[in-house]
Amino acid sequence: MANDYSNKTDEELVFLMKDGSATVSGNAFTELYERYSSRVFAYIRRVVNDQEQAEDLFQETFYKFYQNVRATPNNGTIIGYLITIARNLCLNYKRDKKATLSIDDVNLNNYSKSNDYEETELMELVTMSMDLLEIEYKEPLILRVYNGMNYNEIAEICNTSESNARSRVHRAKQKIKTILMPYLKDLAK
């Protein structure tokens, strides 16, 4: 039955969620969930860098989306709206969480399925360097690199201009290079 919804546009599915029966609304929500859940989870996971907390924030994102579907903007994209909800939840989480990182928090198996030690170490370093970035740089980088969003979408989600979004992504890359430079020199030896 959910397959009947796969050929519908996002706008049609949102309309069905708003004005359909409970069954129709549920099926429309399920289709939107299937379309965007992996991208939303990937975004949250990269921002909070904590599997359990990411799962909680992910569930809360879709719960809030379902509860507030009537407020869904007609001119924006559904993925943009979902990422905006996720972003706000992540910012609240980051604000409330103490800024600590222990070596136990880094699970190498999550970042690389390779047994190659150097590749695993490099992935750990990249992840840790991303954690050192301020959220204003980290977030646009994640949206661009891991979610494949264009700068206009990033600007809308981050509530900034397109040129500022482009600048933040560039600065984030530069900061990561600066952070990694000593480690990359060591790895090259």
Side-chain angles (χ1 to χ4, degrees):
M1 189 178 297
N3 290 340
D4 300 335
Y5 295 90
S6 63
N7 59 355
K8 297 202 180 300
T9 66
D10 290 350
E11 292 77 20
E12 291 172 326
L13 292 169
V14 168
F15 177 79
L16 291 173
M17 283 181 66
K18 290 178 182 180
D19 298 327
S21 67
T23 303
V24 170
S25 179
N27 288 339
F29 174 79
T30 299
E31 179 62 30
L32 287 171
Y33 178 87
E34 288 175 4
R35 286 181 189 178
Y36 299 115
S37 61
S38 62
R39 289 175 65 188
V40 171
F41 184 75
Y43 167 78
I44 294 170
R45 179 70 176 92
R46 293 280 180 200
V47 170
V48 299
N49 198 25
D50 178 330
Q51 182 71 25
E52 288 181 37
Q53 189 60 44
E55 290 170 2
D56 291 344
L57 292 171
F58 172 74
Q59 288 177 3
E60 192 171 348
T61 298
F62 276 93
Y63 175 76
K64 284 187 179 285
F65 172 70
Y66 188 82
Q67 293 297 333
N68 299 312
V69 72
R70 295 193 188 284
T72 304
N74 293 331
N75 58 350
T77 62
I78 298 303
I79 187 62
Y81 186 62
L82 285 165
I83 294 290
T84 300
I85 294 170
R87 174 183 187 257
N88 291 336
L89 291 170
C90 289
L91 289 175
N92 290 341
Y93 168 75
K94 288 282 200 183
R95 181 193 65 217
D96 296 341
K97 180 182 176 243
K98 301 236 187 286
T100 60
L101 176 68
S102 74
I103 196 67
D104 297 331
D105 291 339
V106 179
N107 182 352
L108 298 177
N109 294 329
N110 288 343
Y111 303 113
S112 174
K113 298 201 187 281
S114 170
N115 290 333
D116 183 19
Y117 175 75
E118 287 181 1
E119 183 179 327
T120 303
E121 185 177 9
L122 183 59
M123 288 305 296
E124 177 186 359
L125 291 171
V126 169
T127 301
M128 289 174 68
S129 66
M130 285 184 65
D131 285 340
L132 296 174
L133 294 176
E134 298 89 3
I135 192 72
E136 69 185 76
Y137 298 110
K138 181 178 182 178
E139 182 179 34
L141 181 67
I142 291 170
L143 291 171
R144 179 73 177 161
V145 173
Y146 295 103
N147 286 54
M149 292 187 162
N150 64 43
Y151 291 110
N152 188 34
E153 292 171 317
I154 294 169
E156 184 180 319
I157 290 169
C158 294
N159 198 22
T160 189
S161 68
E162 185 175 338
S163 62
N164 194 3
R166 196 177 295 272
S167 174
R168 287 180 183 181
V169 169
H170 177 73
R171 286 183 185 156
K173 289 177 181 178
Q174 293 304 105
K175 287 180 179 229
I176 287 176
K177 283 181 188 177
T178 302
I179 293 168
L180 291 178
M181 194 57 65
Y183 301 106
L184 293 176
K185 287 180 181 176
D186 278 349
L187 286 176
K189 291 179 182 178

